[in-house]
Amino acid sequence: MIKTVIFDMGGVIITIDNEEPKKRFLELGLTEFANRMNPYKQSGLNGELEEGKVSEEEYRLAICNELGKDVSFEQLQHCWMGYMKEVPARKLMTIKNLRKQGYRVILLSNTNPYVSAWTDSNDFSGDGHPIQDYFDAIYRSYEVKYMKPDENFFRYVMAQEKALPEECLFIDDGPRNCCAASELGIFTYCPQNGEDWCDKIYNYLK
């Protein structure tokens, strides 16, 4: 019996645009960064940011050094926000309904402080709600120091939640991430980026 529903963020809750962030990093003069962009698992300095190995300020200063000029938090946030195409209200409503139905609903995401500055603001939902209003708990890669598909990320969440794998459903648009969760005994559902899973999810909760 499923008791806990674990959501990925980008691609599942937020429809992502894979090309726009590359374009924005290129416009800033960061060709190498643009070529390395990967919505499922970042690498290089971007990966160090999302795994919490460097802080937001250390990341910014490294880029300033790379470009030989000052780059602001807002400029870098603009680049990262290129991923964010849409936050469908229907999905947020489904998440709220799952909580009302008694499921514990949590977020498990590879992300970074630039994106979190937006998700944690009242601009996130379009009607004045931050992402925290929709979840019982939020686990971010840069805060817990793990990135999917590292199984330690899932083990950490299971331990914090005191949850049994067989009582959890993990929804992620990344096949490798779902595979990693499945190997630990967690049930998984892997919709496509932007897919409307609001009705289909109930087939996995039976």
Side-chain angles (χ1 to χ4, degrees), residues 182-197:
S182 293
E183 289 179 356
L184 296 178
I186 299 169
F187 289 98
T188 62
Y189 169 30
C190 189
Q192 297 293 310
N193 171 38
E195 181 180 336
D196 184 352
W197 42 258

Side-chain angles (χ1 to χ4, degrees), residues 67-129:
L67 292 176
K69 63 180 181 181
D70 187 55
V71 179
S72 69
F73 176 95
E74 289 75 18
Q75 286 175 294
L76 291 172
Q77 185 185 41
H78 175 71
C79 292
W80 283 104
M81 287 299 294
Y83 273 122
M84 311 307 157
K85 185 175 182 179
E86 181 187 17
V87 185
R90 174 172 158 82
K91 293 183 176 181
L92 296 179
M93 182 58 67
T94 299
I95 291 169
K96 291 176 73 173
N97 287 338
L98 287 171
R99 294 178 73 187
K100 289 179 182 178
Q101 291 160 13
Y103 295 100
R104 182 165 175 81
V105 182
I106 64 179
L107 183 75
L108 191 162
S109 176
N110 287 351
T111 189
N112 63 66
Y114 294 95
V115 174
S116 293
W118 167 67
T119 60
D120 292 359
S121 75
N122 292 337
D123 294 328
F124 169 71
S125 68
D127 62 352
H129 292 278

Side-chain angles (χ1 to χ4, degrees), residues 3 17 43 52 71 81 85 159 164 166:
K3 296 180 180 179
D17 184 325
S43 62
V71 179
M81 287 299 294
K85 185 175 182 179
L164 297 174
E166 62 269 23

Side-chain angles (χ1 to χ4, degrees), residues 169-172 178 187-191 195 197 200-201 204:
L169 172 65
F170 175 56
I171 302 101
D172 194 303
C178 285
F187 289 98
T188 62
Y189 169 30
C190 189
E195 181 180 336
W197 42 258
K200 296 177 185 177
I201 191 174
Y204 295 83

Side-chain angles (χ1 to χ4, degrees), residues 45-72:
L45 186 60
N46 287 345
E48 291 180 6
L49 175 69
E50 296 214 332
E51 201 167 1
K53 292 182 177 179
V54 297
S55 68
E56 169 270 315
E57 181 63 7
E58 290 170 330
Y59 175 83
R60 188 184 70 81
L61 291 175
I63 289 181
C64 291
N65 184 62
E66 174 81 14
L67 292 176
K69 63 180 181 181
D70 187 55
V71 179
S72 69

